[in-house]
Amino acid sequence: MPKVKIDGFEVEVPDGTTILNAARMIGGDIVPPAMCYYSTLKGSGGKCRTCLVKVTKGSEKDPRPMPKLVASCQTMVMDGMEVANITSDEVINARKGVVEFLLINHPLDCPICDQAGECHLQDLAFDHGAASTRYEFERRTFERIDIGPYIKLHMTRCILCYRCVFTAQQLTPERVHGVVGRGDHAEISTFIEKAIDNDFSGNVIDVCPVGALTDRTFRFKSRVWFLNPMEAHRDCEKCSGKAVVWMYGKEIFRVTARKDQYGEVHEFICNTCRFEKKAPGDWVVEGPRNIERNSVISQNHYLAATTVR
Amino acid sequence: MQLTNRSKNVVNKKMSFAERIYLVAIAKGMWITLKHFFRKNNTYNYPDTQRTYAPVYRGWHVLKRDANGAERCTACGLCAVACPAEAITMTAAERERGEEKLYREEKYAAVYEINMLRCIFCGLCEEACPKEAIFLTDRIVPSDYVRQGFIFGKDMLVEGVEPEKRVDVSVRQKHIQEKKQAAAAAQ
């Protein structure tokens, strides 16, 4: 069992744990942000570079520091390793640079985007980004695409984290959804814009850290901070049936899977639950969901349950 | 504990004859009344004469259009969430093909209502607005007989397309920008 020290906090973790997961075991501010790593998706991570950390001591046997910043979601811990995340100015500066790169082609149309208020890129830019951009050129734009009757793809907002591709690969039997092109030309696409008709395709909306994949049945219906997220369940033969219903009064505006504090879904829900069951009688509401106190979702209307779960 | 010397102890003693006929008290009171005839008037005969307002007065809101006449508001909901009185409600809709001249962004407010009875004219909505769409102007909210008349929809809020129907908010806009810059500099 290797012991690792992250920002001065020591933790003992099983073999083969990544630095990011070791940091999550400690919890708190020292957890590096992650835009592409998703614990429930195999092979995810290593693409966005927001989780970069500095390894100040390689291990007990070889105490030399690692020469460059490493992606904490991909680097395994070693015994005696010492890692600096928020205590290192180098990491903070590098992360600021990464945010600037992620925002180069991002349209910043948050007032329009349905993801606003629960967007990881928004949080990341708020925490680490600069208030203005240095980019002077025309931003990369795409036409909006309807992927099937339920999902809308705004390629312009995409940061190419590949999470949706892994979701499509791992939750659906045949691959219909992938990344086409390379480098600056890379884009998420279904082959020949073929509609995804699979029972679990709706989960690409939940795994998307930005507003690139959004729910067409919820499109422009409301803003997340006007709705009350409630934990609810129903009997479903295809999935666990455990979900979050976003309510305005007695009306259900949308249904999402339950996300943990890192925005990750552990029990994916099916399309029937997500898109078709929106009558109040369809769900057994358990109670209000815990929302972080400083989240915009808890603004003005959400007095109870304001602690981090 | 006595904080001011304005309170006076009430005494229930019997009044003298001079006090009981009240002539002195009446004369005193009339003198005060007479003095007020020759004082400068504190009130204005509205609407014949109107007082001057501060250039940054906060009154009736306006929803601005851009230079091409398209509505700036995208129904992002930030004004509603910033509103301490919860006076603003809105419903968004998607812009159809061919409506590009009416609405600037792909989403617009199909319904936008401000309850003028709830509004406290604090100006937080215009500070929250990312699109510079809503501004408070120096116009006074008109009176009405029924409560329903104070729920202002888009017909009362959006300015006209014609140049003469546009509402000038340049002074207020400059004031908000200075305020935001000062806040940014303070951080």
Side-chain angles (χ1 to χ4, degrees), chain A residues 117 225 289-309:
Chain A
W225 55 84
R289 196 171 160 69
N290 286 330
I291 295 293
E292 276 180 59
R293 180 190 280 264
N294 54 6
S295 165
V296 71
I297 299 171
S298 67
Q299 283 297 307
N300 279 4
H301 64 95
Y302 208 69
L303 293 174
T306 46
T307 46
V308 187
R309 37 195 293 112

Side-chain angles (χ1 to χ4, degrees), chain A residues 127-146:
Chain A
D127 289 342
H128 305 282
S132 57
T133 178
R134 291 185 286 173
Y135 193 62
E136 293 170 349
F137 305 97
E138 192 127 318
R139 282 161 198 251
R140 176 191 69 154
T141 51
F142 294 91
E143 282 290 304
R144 292 181 290 278
I145 301 166
D146 292 341

Side-chain angles (χ1 to χ4, degrees), chain B:
Chain B
M1 192 182 68
Q2 197 176 3
L3 294 172
T4 63
N5 52 8
R6 264 183 272 170
S7 61
K8 276 178 187 160
N9 286 332
V10 180
V11 251
N12 219 4
K13 75 166 209 268
K14 207 162 181 251
M15 287 195 286
S16 68
F17 176 74
E19 280 170 342
R20 250 183 298 150
I21 56 169
Y22 286 111
L23 270 176
V24 181
I26 288 171
K28 252 187 190 171
M30 293 306 270
W31 172 244
I32 291 170
T33 313
L34 197 72
K35 268 201 300 193
H36 277 266
F37 282 133
F38 303 103
R39 270 210 187 150
K40 198 179 152 255
N41 220 345
N42 276 331
T43 51
Y44 287 81
N45 287 327
Y46 184 84
D48 295 336
T49 50
Q50 288 192 16
R51 62 189 300 167
T52 48
Y53 292 104
V56 290
Y57 182 84
R58 300 192 296 261
W60 189 356
H61 313 64
V62 65
L63 283 174
K64 294 290 291 173
R65 291 174 185 275
D66 66 3
N68 303 324
E71 283 176 25
R72 286 169 163 264
C73 177
T74 69
C76 71
L78 287 180
C79 49
V81 81
C83 183
E86 302 192 359
I88 306 176
T89 51
M90 67 186 71
T91 311
E94 189 167 0
R95 183 181 67 186
E96 303 286 324
R97 212 171 274 273
E99 291 182 330
E100 282 83 358
K101 283 198 172 154
L102 291 174
Y103 311 110
R104 202 167 62 159
E105 312 273 350
E106 62 176 297
K107 187 172 85 165
Y108 67 94
V111 179
Y112 191 101
E113 285 179 344
I114 302 180
N115 188 336
M116 289 299 181
L117 295 171
R118 282 194 148 204
C119 178
I120 57 167
F121 301 97
C122 62
L124 287 184
C125 47
E126 53 184 3
E127 266 179 59
C129 186
K131 294 286 175 188
E132 298 196 325
I134 191 165
F135 284 99
L136 275 71
T137 62
D138 54 0
R139 301 172 299 168
I140 295 172
V141 177
S143 52
D144 205 329
Y145 293 101
V146 285
R147 280 168 179 270
Q148 195 57 41
F150 288 101
I151 297 171
F152 282 15
K154 278 180 80 178
D155 52 332
M156 298 288 276
L157 296 170
V158 183
E159 64 174 355
V161 187
E162 300 84 356
E164 67 274 12
K165 284 187 182 167
R166 293 296 181 98
V167 182
D168 181 36
V169 292
S170 48
V171 180
R172 184 99 198 119
Q173 203 166 11
K174 205 173 142 231
H175 174 69
I176 296 162
Q177 269 164 9
E178 281 167 4
K179 221 163 127 184
K180 280 183 182 170
Q181 276 162 8
Q187 264 186 357

Side-chain angles (χ1 to χ4, degrees), chain A residues 230-244:
Chain A
M230 307 290 257
E231 298 207 338
H233 63 86
R234 63 181 284 272
D235 286 331
C236 179
E237 60 268 23
K238 284 185 282 194
C239 64
S240 68
K242 286 181 189 162
V244 179

Side-chain angles (χ1 to χ4, degrees), chain A residues 201-247:
Chain A
S201 65
N203 288 302
V204 295
I205 298 166
D206 275 347
V207 300
C208 185
V210 293
L213 289 157
T214 49
D215 188 341
R216 279 185 75 193
T217 61
F218 178 64
R219 187 167 163 80
F220 301 163
K221 284 273 158 55
S222 185
R223 308 292 284 171
V224 286
W225 55 84
F226 295 141
L227 306 177
N228 285 315
M230 307 290 257
E231 298 207 338
H233 63 86
R234 63 181 284 272
D235 286 331
C236 179
E237 60 268 23
K238 284 185 282 194
C239 64
S240 68
K242 286 181 189 162
V244 179
V245 292
W246 297 72
M247 301 176 84

Side-chain angles (χ1 to χ4, degrees), chain A residues 1-4 11-23 25 37 39 44 71-81:
Chain A
M1 294 275 274
K3 268 188 190 156
V4 58
V11 69
E12 201 171 334
V13 294
D15 279 323
T17 312
T18 59
I19 298 173
L20 182 75
N21 278 329
M25 284 175 195
Y37 173 74
S39 57
S44 64
S72 62
C73 65
Q74 294 294 304
T75 314
M76 305 296 165
V77 297
M78 280 181 276
D79 192 32
M81 188 185 251

Side-chain angles (χ1 to χ4, degrees), chain A residues 18-76:
Chain A
T18 59
I19 298 173
L20 182 75
N21 278 329
R24 285 185 179 184
M25 284 175 195
I26 299 167
D29 290 342
I30 60 141
V31 182
M35 297 295 288
C36 65
Y37 173 74
Y38 208 79
S39 57
T40 44
L41 294 174
K42 245 178 277 156
S44 64
K47 298 188 175 61
C48 68
R49 319 306 291 178
T50 50
C51 66
L52 288 179
V53 290
K54 187 165 178 61
V55 177
T56 48
K57 182 184 169 192
S59 69
E60 207 58 68
K61 283 178 188 154
D62 182 8
R64 287 176 300 167
M66 287 196 187
K68 286 199 270 184
L69 301 183
V70 294
S72 62
C73 65
Q74 294 294 304
T75 314
M76 305 296 165

